[in-house]
Amino acid sequence: MRSYAEYCSVAKALDLVGDRWSLLIVRELLILGSRRFGELQDGLPGIATNLLTERLRHLEEAGVVGRDEAGRYALTPWGELLAEPIYALARWGAPLMVTKGDDESFRSHWLAAPIAFIFGGQDPGRPALIAEIRAGGEPITLKSADGMVTFQPGPAAAPDLVISGPPDAIIGLLAGRLGETAAAELGVSVLGDLAPLARLRQADWLTGPESYTPR
Amino acid sequence: MRSYAEYCSVAKALDLVGDRWSLLIVRELLILGSRRFGELQDGLPGIATNLLTERLRHLEEAGVVGRDEAGRYALTPWGELLAEPIYALARWGAPLMVTKGDDESFRSHWLAAPIAFIFGGQDPGRPALIAEIRAGGEPITLKSADGMVTFQPGPAAAPDLVISGPPDAIIGLLAGRLGETAAAELGVSVLGDLAPLARLRQADWLTGPESYTPR
DNA sequence: CTGCATCCGGGCCGATACTG
DNA sequence: CAGTATCGGCCCGGATGCAG
């Protein structure tokens, strides 16, 4: 992208990561760690290979992305700092997540951001729990331990709870916006007890004031 | 911009504000409040008028921007929430601000972000102070009162301190990266006592670890 | 003067084919 | 698997025109 040529930090940041796809490439590396070209491509449905190549080269030049011994792409320490702007954008876009359009693609690891907001922070009183979430594609694991809730891609070894269903309904259930019966009507099936999960929840993500809802 | 069509909060946010210029339009409205078309144009050097029109329409449709009684553009409550992602981006891009290129345009109100980081937070022990900063174009005012430092566009009525000079040197001085003599060599002139200003400073913006410096 | 609409050249994007 | 090459089309940039 052509530079804005402004002596402004926002403009300079956008000069580096403002191109189409760039921030989504960073999102992939942020959530999943180092990735190969083909893995990135899978997490960016519809991206053209030449664009992925060009963006990666550009991000490498800028010092945002590097390559490990195995030739896989990974964020540099400076690139990791993009977590803040990206998660801030994700939180801002949260009201747009109430329903999933049929034409929209989905990868289960994209649930990392919602999970980070809903179960964020530390709380010593929070019960330990391992939940496996199956929202399509590869399952993901949500683990509560030592008062912290963490996200992991991949299935859980010994889950206390397994939740399966469409992603929008699962987000509604996790966020507390939908009850178990309401979620069940939307196709969510639960194996195990949901009550401990409700005690993990911190934020009212997606349940903010009406006035913030777009349109 | 064409939609990413992903069920992901980041992608959906970028569907709305990921176009070229969009976030900079929001930056203008965030810093300066409601603005007219021509005022926006002045704060976005190089934007084509048709693009400004198109972006404003798009942001209006999305519920990010509205118009007041006088027909001026202003952020909606939801649009105001973009402050977080935009300021996060600004902070991330901070290491790129050490020097100003000659080809880069500058508007003094863009100093709002640096000032917010350098003098952020509340601190009851902070002295009261009014400083006028002349970095080119319209002066801006930095006011410390009740432990908070605030930014205002426009000159100060009764400043305790007036700082004039090129923007990059002024940022270096404000951030504490440059001493008064070093800043003077770069063309900064100071009227009044700088010592109280140094006591306002909170963050080590732009003085972070070397490893974060790109390239 | 402000706020836009139109037009056009060029560059960026998207899709597919192709190669080591 | 990891890109490179190519090409049509859309978006961007800059200039111009115009109505209130």
Side-chain angles (χ1 to χ4, degrees), chain A residues 100-183:
Chain A
K100 176 181 176 304
D102 289 337
D103 58 331
E104 289 173 359
S105 55
F106 175 72
R107 300 291 181 271
S108 55
H109 63 267
W110 295 345
L111 289 174
I115 286 174
F117 300 144
I118 297 170
F119 303 102
Q122 183 156 21
D123 179 358
R126 197 140 55 176
L129 180 75
I130 295 180
E132 181 173 305
I133 297 174
R134 302 177 182 171
E138 183 80 349
I140 63 163
T141 299
L142 188 152
K143 185 192 290 183
S144 170
D146 305 323
M148 295 279 291
V149 176
T150 55
F151 163 95
Q152 287 173 305
D160 304 300
L161 185 62
V162 176
I163 305 177
S164 315
D168 50 351
I170 287 184
I171 289 181
L173 182 66
L174 294 179
R177 186 172 41 82
L178 297 178
E180 186 165 359
T181 55

Side-chain angles (χ1 to χ4, degrees), chain A:
Chain A
M1 187 190 284
R2 177 174 179 157
S3 168
Y4 288 110
E6 293 185 1
Y7 185 64
C8 162
S9 191
V10 182
K12 283 174 171 287
L14 292 175
D15 279 345
L16 298 188
V17 298
D19 302 86
R20 186 164 168 79
W21 295 109
S22 289
L23 280 177
L24 296 187
I25 292 171
V26 177
R27 172 199 67 188
E28 290 297 303
L29 295 173
L30 209 50
I31 297 178
L32 295 172
S34 66
R35 296 273 100 182
R36 298 162 175 275
F37 188 91
E39 293 173 321
L40 285 173
Q41 200 178 0
D42 179 66
L44 301 164
I47 194 175
T49 56
N50 59 345
L51 282 190
L52 180 52
T53 301
E54 200 200 52
R55 292 299 181 270
L56 286 168
R57 294 286 163 278
H58 193 57
L59 292 170
E60 259 181 286
E61 274 180 53
V64 176
V65 162
R67 311 190 65 158
D68 63 14
E69 327 66 60
R72 308 196 305 186
Y73 296 93
L75 294 175
T76 64
W78 192 47
E80 299 270 1
L81 296 182
L82 279 168
E84 287 196 28
I86 287 180
Y87 274 70
L89 262 181
R91 188 187 289 269
W92 181 81
L96 306 169
M97 298 289 282
V98 281
T99 55
K100 176 181 176 304
D102 289 337
D103 58 331
E104 289 173 359
S105 55
F106 175 72
R107 300 291 181 271
S108 55
H109 63 267
W110 295 345
L111 289 174
I115 286 174
F117 300 144
I118 297 170
F119 303 102
Q122 183 156 21
D123 179 358
R126 197 140 55 176
L129 180 75
I130 295 180
E132 181 173 305
I133 297 174
R134 302 177 182 171
E138 183 80 349
I140 63 163
T141 299
L142 188 152
K143 185 192 290 183
S144 170
D146 305 323
M148 295 279 291
V149 176
T150 55
F151 163 95
Q152 287 173 305
D160 304 300
L161 185 62
V162 176
I163 305 177
S164 315
D168 50 351
I170 287 184
I171 289 181
L173 182 66
L174 294 179
R177 186 172 41 82
L178 297 178
E180 186 165 359
T181 55
E185 279 170 26
L186 294 173
V188 175
S189 67
V190 176
L191 217 71
D193 185 10
L194 269 180
L197 189 79
R199 284 201 292 278
L200 300 181
R201 190 160 49 233
Q202 296 273 51
D204 62 342
W205 192 64
L206 277 180
T207 61
E210 275 298 306
S211 59
Y212 292 160
T213 306
R215 288 173 153 278

Side-chain angles (χ1 to χ4, degrees), chain B residues 2 37-38 49-50 53 57 73:
Chain B
R2 179 176 174 148
F37 187 92
T49 58
N50 57 346
T53 300
R57 294 287 161 275
Y73 298 93

